[in-house]
Amino acid sequence: MNLMEQIHAADHSMRGKNILTWLDYTQGEVSQLLAQAQYVKENPYSQSLKSKNLAMIFEKSSTRTRVSFEVGMEQMGGHALYLNSRDIQIGRGETIADTARVLSGYVDAIMFRTTSHEKLHELAVHATVPVINGLCDMYHPCQALADIFTILELKGRLGGVKVVYIGDGNNVAHSLMVLAAMMGMEMVISAPEGYQPDPAITEKAKNLAKLHGGAVIIENNPEQAVVDADVIYTDVWTSMGQEEEAEERLKDFEGYQVNALLLKGAKTDVSFLHCLPAHRGEEVTADVIDGDHSVVFQQAENRMHVQKAILQAVIGWK
């Protein structure tokens, strides 16, 4: 199947579907999205979503999610509406179900950046247009797809690539672990006790890895985890909504900082990824994130390209 055939196949198979977690998708569908993302990156301007509208509901602040979706829709001839939850009726007691039904009458898709997966699921149940997870407490699928796309660009393959995630086993870790397992990669999570990824999601990822020839490994020792790593990834130790835990987390994550010494244990051509925003001097040192191994801004740009591919696939493009 050539590139254009893959793109049209993705458009047909995913039209009208929600993007809540990659556990709902197959390796073939993800591969099609990656091919589509490559195409839109090389051909950024089109009228593929002309006259289409995306509603974006934000319960959490955002830089990359908001800007990448807005600019992406504009580049495809469509329009994105920014809806802060404090400024619409959902912030004054209107139910998620009613909001979903109302917005479905106005727009072609809804992106929801929310505090809980339960809210996201409720919106998806009652909406009659595709719902895209812009981030929730359990998953961050758009970020993970951009991560995988970036790794594919850098390494030229996904199968067999060793990715080591160091730090909090959070929503980013969950989605990355699922996608890496699905694509036949070796995924290692190194997190302190009490901060490891959700056991149920980990088990599902391990089952995917068995099916696709990959591996999911939990390794507490970061020095051991990074041996022969192709990619090292980290995220902030204290995410939005966890500010009261910041002091405790700084103590708990001592020894899990990504620094130059840790990178020396990986392959010489190791790539460093971070979903941003970054706290230099905490989870990563400045010389690493601003150094030669870092590809964090290529990774950030790729958010827009994969999200454009997602939008084309679930809305349907001209």
Side-chain angles (χ1 to χ4, degrees):
M1 184 180 290
N2 64 34
L3 180 59
M4 287 307 298
E5 287 172 336
Q6 289 186 57
I7 290 170
H8 284 290
D11 176 56
H12 176 74
S13 68
M14 297 179 63
R15 184 174 296 185
K17 293 179 70 174
N18 300 318
I19 305 285
L20 308 184
T21 165
W22 295 119
L23 290 167
D24 300 329
Y25 285 83
T26 66
Q27 185 190 71
E29 288 172 321
V30 171
S31 295
Q32 290 166 356
L33 282 174
L34 292 172
Q36 197 163 348
Q38 182 60 46
Y39 180 81
V40 298
K41 185 171 184 175
E42 295 170 357
N43 302 274
Y45 296 98
S46 72
Q47 293 297 299
S48 56
L49 293 185
K50 183 180 180 181
S51 302
K52 301 295 185 180
N53 292 283
L54 171 70
M56 306 186 301
I57 306 174
F58 287 86
E59 289 188 330
K60 288 189 170 186
S61 58
S62 169
T63 298
R64 281 150 292 278
T65 298
R66 177 179 177 178
V67 177
S68 57
F69 269 111
E70 282 195 17
V71 174
M73 281 296 290
E74 183 177 359
Q75 287 184 354
M76 295 184 292
H79 180 66
L81 299 93
Y82 173 76
L83 305 173
N84 189 300
S85 62
R86 297 186 299 273
D87 299 331
I88 60 176
Q89 297 300 330
I90 197 172
R92 301 179 63 228
E94 184 168 48
T95 66
I96 291 175
D98 285 355
T99 301
R101 294 185 182 103
V102 169
L103 290 179
S104 294
Y106 299 147
V107 301
D108 302 283
I110 303 169
M111 188 282 294
F112 194 17
R113 185 173 171 92
T114 178
T115 57
S116 80
H117 192 72
E118 289 74 19
K119 289 181 182 180
L120 179 77
H121 184 264
E122 184 179 358
L123 186 81
V125 165
H126 295 284
T128 57
V129 297
V131 173
I132 300 168
N133 181 358
L135 175 144
C136 70
D137 59 334
M138 294 301 290
Y139 300 104
H140 200 349
C142 294
Q143 178 65 58
L145 191 64
D147 301 337
I148 294 294
F149 181 65
T150 304
I151 294 168
L152 181 60
E153 286 185 319
L154 294 169
K155 307 301 179 183
R157 61 188 175 91
L158 293 177
V161 172
K162 181 176 179 179
V163 179
V164 180
Y165 178 96
I166 298 174
D168 192 10
N170 57 16
N171 48 5
V172 172
H174 289 160
S175 288
L176 182 62
M177 178 171 60
V178 167
L179 266 190
M182 184 184 294
M183 305 311 290
M185 305 168 75
E186 181 181 352
M187 182 77 202
V188 182
I189 304 280
S190 187
E193 293 291 340
Y195 296 97
Q196 293 177 352
D198 181 89
I201 298 174
T202 301
E203 187 62 27
K204 290 176 182 178
K206 286 184 175 181
N207 290 335
L208 280 171
K210 290 177 184 177
L211 182 64
H212 296 292
V216 172
I217 300 165
I218 306 298
E219 170 56 65
N220 285 7
N221 187 325
E223 288 80 12
Q224 184 61 39
V226 301
V227 173
D228 292 329
D230 297 292
V231 176
I232 294 177
Y233 194 125
T234 194
D235 190 9
V236 294
W237 292 340
T238 305
S239 298
M240 286 180 289
Q242 300 172 333
E243 287 80 8
E244 292 182 359
E245 306 171 18
E247 187 174 345
E248 180 182 0
R249 283 173 170 266
L250 281 174
K251 295 177 182 177
D252 291 343
F253 282 99
E254 187 175 351
Y256 287 83
Q257 183 187 72
V258 179
N259 51 41
L261 182 60
L262 192 67
L263 255 62
K264 287 182 179 179
K267 289 183 178 178
T268 56
D269 63 345
V270 66
S271 300
F272 174 74
L273 274 68
H274 192 307
C275 55
L276 301 178
H279 295 164
R280 289 167 173 80
E282 290 186 13
E283 76 276 3
V284 61
T285 55
D287 60 330
V288 169
I289 194 170
D290 299 320
D292 294 338
H293 292 280
S294 178
V295 292
V296 298
F297 298 110
Q298 177 181 345
Q299 176 190 6
E301 179 192 325
N302 282 339
R303 284 288 304 277
M304 182 171 68
H305 306 309
V306 301
Q307 287 161 191
K308 287 170 70 175
I310 287 171
L311 289 165
Q312 288 180 344
V314 300
I315 294 176
W317 58 294
K318 299 178 181 179

